[in-house]
Amino acid sequence: AQPATVTQKPQAAPPIVLTEMAPNTKNVDYKTGGTDAFEFIEMYNSTSTPINLKGFTLRYIAGDKVYNYPITEDKIVPSQGIFIIWFKNTNVQQVGLTEFNTAYGSSITEDQLFVVVNGGMSNSASRQVQMLDPEGNVLSDTTYNVEDIGESISANFVPDRNNGVVSWERFSKPANPGYIYPVQRVADPADTVPPAAPDHVQIMAGVGGVKVTWSPELEPDVAYVNVYVNGSLNTRLLMP
């Protein structure tokens, strides 16, 4: 008789995924210098159902110091929806959501926002950030480094491709609360079919380099395109 074959189910994606952190921002006058006024942490609901974040906890870890910020209000994040936690410095209580959206050109609503009043996030040291469910299980675990951030430049995180809770891969982009890149959406572990290669690839020689173009009609699940030069990865082009 043939031995029984056990098929392991793909690991489910974490329901809440941390996607962006902006610890270094403009001040209340939208200028450089002074107290950062618009620091935030972004996350999204990766599931097909709404999630109420009341009872969930954002954990901010600075060395041996652990700061827990429980969400104490009913905050419903729709399926594939985005949620923002604003780390609002104690010295900038005069600004509100209107000023926040003006700072970024965003359109975050009150339903998408929870405000934490504290001394702000560190610009000068690495910090670990976790999202915990009401039972204390870590759903998403990330760390931003000093080199990832700049004024209004945020650290953006790519979920683990095997749907683990820790996101190691990151990239830096202008802070953009309310928007996530395709590469930041969780992977479907059951989808093992790679997207088709780009069509109509053309290579044209130029002064000091070459120009490569291809058809813009890529498959919808393409998150980025790797460009190799002499066999080595040279550039990763994120899909908008």
Side-chain angles (χ1 to χ4, degrees):
Q2 295 293 324
T5 301
V6 177
T7 302
Q8 184 175 1
K9 292 183 178 180
Q11 180 173 326
I16 297 293
V17 179
L18 296 166
T19 49
E20 183 178 3
M21 298 178 197
N24 187 352
T25 74
K26 302 288 188 179
N27 64 23
V28 293
D29 298 321
Y30 314 116
K31 297 178 181 178
T32 297
T35 301
D36 294 348
F38 306 108
E39 300 176 358
F40 71 88
I41 294 174
E42 177 191 78
M43 62 198 71
Y44 97 102
N45 174 2
S46 71
T47 74
S48 58
T49 57
I51 294 177
N52 188 347
L53 290 182
K54 186 176 182 179
F56 285 63
T57 297
L58 183 79
R59 176 172 291 167
Y60 183 83
I61 303 173
D64 58 355
K65 296 181 179 180
V66 178
Y67 304 90
N68 290 320
Y69 301 104
I71 297 178
T72 55
E73 305 170 7
D74 286 311
K75 292 291 184 179
I76 310 299
V77 186
S79 170
Q80 303 297 309
I82 297 172
F83 191 76
I84 301 294
I85 294 182
W86 181 2
F87 269 42
K88 195 174 183 182
N89 194 287
T90 52
N91 296 319
V92 296
Q93 293 307 295
Q94 69 272 32
V95 296
L97 182 55
T98 298
E99 289 80 11
F100 182 94
N101 281 325
T102 298
Y104 294 111
S106 55
S107 55
I108 301 301
T109 68
E110 292 286 354
D111 291 338
Q112 293 178 283
L113 184 71
F114 184 74
V115 177
V116 169
V117 178
N118 59 16
M121 302 165 69
S122 175
N123 301 347
S124 58
S126 299
R127 292 291 185 262
Q128 184 179 3
V129 180
Q130 299 174 334
M131 194 66 183
L132 286 68
D133 69 12
E135 287 71 47
N137 300 306
V138 177
L139 303 178
S140 189
D141 188 338
T142 60
T143 298
Y144 70 83
N145 300 317
V146 176
E147 59 268 25
D148 300 327
I149 60 174
E151 187 171 74
S152 299
I153 301 296
S154 63
N156 294 262
F157 298 90
V158 178
D160 178 72
R161 293 298 92 182
N162 295 313
N163 290 332
V165 300
V166 180
S167 298
W168 296 106
E169 188 177 357
R170 60 180 64 83
F171 57 93
S172 301
K173 286 285 186 180
N176 193 7
Y179 176 82
I180 62 175
Y181 293 85
V183 73
Q184 293 181 284
R185 297 193 178 277
V186 298
D188 179 359
D191 181 4
T192 59
V193 179
D199 290 328
H200 310 297
V201 177
Q202 297 184 12
I203 301 175
M204 293 162 281
V207 178
V210 296
K211 181 179 181 180
V212 182
T213 62
W214 56 83
S215 171
E217 285 77 30
L218 300 176
E219 294 190 30
D221 61 344
V222 174
Y224 54 82
V225 174
N226 287 334
V227 178
Y228 292 83
V229 177
N230 296 326
S232 299
L233 179 62
N234 178 268
T235 304
R236 171 170 289 180
L237 303 175
L238 295 172
M239 297 296 101

